[in-house]
Structure formats: C-alpha cells, structure tokens
C-alpha cells in the first residue's frame, strides 16, 4: 500500500528541505510541493527515468519559497528567488558548487519552456510534477489509486485559488516575469478546471 513515507526522503538533504519548507510555506503551498515531487517521482518510475533523487526532492520542496513573504524579491521572479534559497540551503549541506547550481537551475526552469527528459531529466520531472498538481496536466495518466492516496495524505487545502492569487500578485508587481506571461496565458482558467480539485461534480 502507498503510504505518506513514499513521498518524503529520509536523507540529510531531504529532512532539511522538508524542515525549511515546513517553516516557511503554509499548508497549501507545502502540500503542493510534496505532491509535485510525488507526481514527478511516480512519472519517473513509470517511464523508467533515472534521476538524482535528492536533487529533485530538494528542488520540489523549495521551488515555490520565492512566493512566501520572507523570500519574495522585489526585483527577481519568484522562481529565481527560490533558486537562490536552494543554493544557500544546499551549501549548508555541503553540496559542491555545480550541484548547488543544478538545484537553482531546476527550480528556475520549472517556470520556463518545456524541457525534455533527454535534455535535463530533473527539470523535466519537476515540470511534470508541478504541471500535474497546479493544472491537472497528465493527471489522467496516473493510477487513480495513487492520486487518491496522495490527496488523502497531502490535501489540496484550497491550493488552486491561493496559488492563483500569489502568481497574479507577482504578475502585477513584476510585469516582465514568467508569472506575468503565465497569468496572461489563462492560468486562472486552467487551474480552476484542475480535476484534482473536483470530485463527483463538487469543487473542493
């Protein structure tokens, strides 16, 4: 049976990333981060993709911290601010410079154009995981039992509406950032239609 433990990493990096994310993100944003990792890891398993597990987990857990008040930058897009948080945290973990840079890159790229698994497997997986959780992209490809267990362990907690508000705020304050293009491209409509937020015709 799938359990909550399947979606956390009991390593020094994993424990630290979860601790920091839990300190700064509210329930909706924290659960989204864990679900993003879970969708990414499940997708990798189903497609036979090998990847750096701690790199993906740390990147997933920290990828939206740039949306929280302590790390919200007045000058940088939120994904770039979050990338810098990852660099600092992983420096404390003793990661070498190139791996710290990869954590930043994976986080930044989750808001950029699609990256293939052949180009950058961790960035591809984070894009898959976040897209599934935010707007329901590819959700139908996952085993319904897996998705139901994940949502039970890490409830949505009003994530969709909260996330729309956060990215719309970014778009207003930073009109040249990726979030502004995302909002202008109809993000709110896609997020509102996410099947993860609807069960039996009822909006959760």
């Amino acid at each position: 049976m799938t359990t909550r433990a399947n979606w956390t990493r009991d390593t020094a990096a994993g424990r630290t990333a979860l601790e920091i994310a839990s300190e700064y993100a509210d329930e909706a944003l924290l659960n989204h981060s864990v679900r993003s990792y879970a969708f990414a890891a499940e997708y990798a398993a189903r497609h036979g993709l090998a990847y750096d597990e701690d790199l993906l987990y740390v990147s997933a857990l920290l990828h939206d911290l740039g949306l929280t008040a302590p790390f919200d930058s007045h000058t940088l897009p939120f994904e770039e601010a979050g990338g810098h948080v990852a660099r600092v945290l992983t420096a404390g973990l003793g990661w070498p410079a190139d791996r710290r840079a990869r954590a930043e890159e994976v986080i930044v790229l989750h808001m950029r154009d699609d990256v293939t698994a052949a180009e950058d497997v961790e960035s591809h997986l984070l894009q898959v995981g976040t897209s599934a959780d935010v707007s329901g992209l590819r959700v139908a490809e996952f085993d319904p039992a897996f998705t139901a267990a994940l949502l039970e362990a890490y409830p949505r907690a009003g994530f969709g509406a909260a996330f729309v508000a956060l990215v719309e705020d970014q778009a207003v304050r930073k009109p040249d950032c990726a979030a502004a293009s995302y909002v202008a491209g109809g993000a709110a409509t896609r997020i509102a239609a996410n099947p993860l937020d609807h069960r039996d015709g009822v909006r959760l």
Side-chain angles (χ1 to χ4, degrees):
M1 178 179 291
T2 304
T3 66
R4 192 180 179 101
N6 293 103
W7 302 310
T8 60
R9 283 194 55 73
D10 191 17
T11 62
R15 291 189 297 271
T16 302
L18 180 58
E19 180 178 357
I20 293 302
S22 299
E23 278 189 36
Y24 289 101
D26 62 15
E27 180 188 13
L29 202 61
L30 176 65
N31 286 2
H32 158 65
S33 298
V34 177
R35 290 193 307 267
S36 295
Y37 168 76
F39 277 122
E42 180 73 4
Y43 179 89
R46 289 180 173 273
H47 291 267
L49 297 175
Y51 61 97
D52 182 326
E53 295 182 11
D54 269 350
L55 174 61
L56 178 62
Y57 185 75
V58 169
S59 299
L61 267 287
L62 305 182
H63 80 275
D64 276 344
L65 285 190
L67 291 170
T68 66
F71 300 116
D72 184 9
S73 171
H74 290 288
T75 58
L76 295 177
F78 80 88
E79 67 275 14
E80 293 183 16
H84 287 292
V85 174
R87 286 191 77 117
V88 172
L89 181 142
T90 53
L93 292 170
W95 287 19
D98 59 345
R99 198 172 185 215
R100 298 197 303 270
R102 283 288 295 132
E104 178 184 19
E105 181 179 37
V106 171
I107 290 172
V108 169
L109 288 178
H110 95 275
M111 285 295 292
R112 301 297 192 264
D113 292 338
D114 287 347
V115 178
T116 68
E119 292 170 321
D120 179 345
V121 66
E122 290 84 15
S123 293
H124 175 72
L125 290 173
L126 187 58
Q127 288 183 340
V128 168
T130 56
S131 296
D133 197 62
V134 171
S135 59
L137 187 65
R138 291 193 174 103
V139 160
E141 298 176 18
F142 293 89
D143 184 340
F146 161 83
T147 303
L150 180 60
L151 292 175
E152 182 177 359
Y154 294 94
R156 301 288 287 173
F159 169 71
F163 187 71
V164 168
L166 288 169
V167 293
E168 287 181 343
D169 175 65
Q170 293 281 315
V172 169
R173 292 189 290 113
K174 308 169 194 177
D176 295 325
C177 72
S181 298
Y182 179 59
V183 169
T189 300
R190 294 193 300 275
I191 292 169
N194 187 344
L196 295 177
D197 286 325
H198 301 269
R199 291 186 197 169
D200 301 322
V202 177
R203 174 116 178 126
L204 301 180

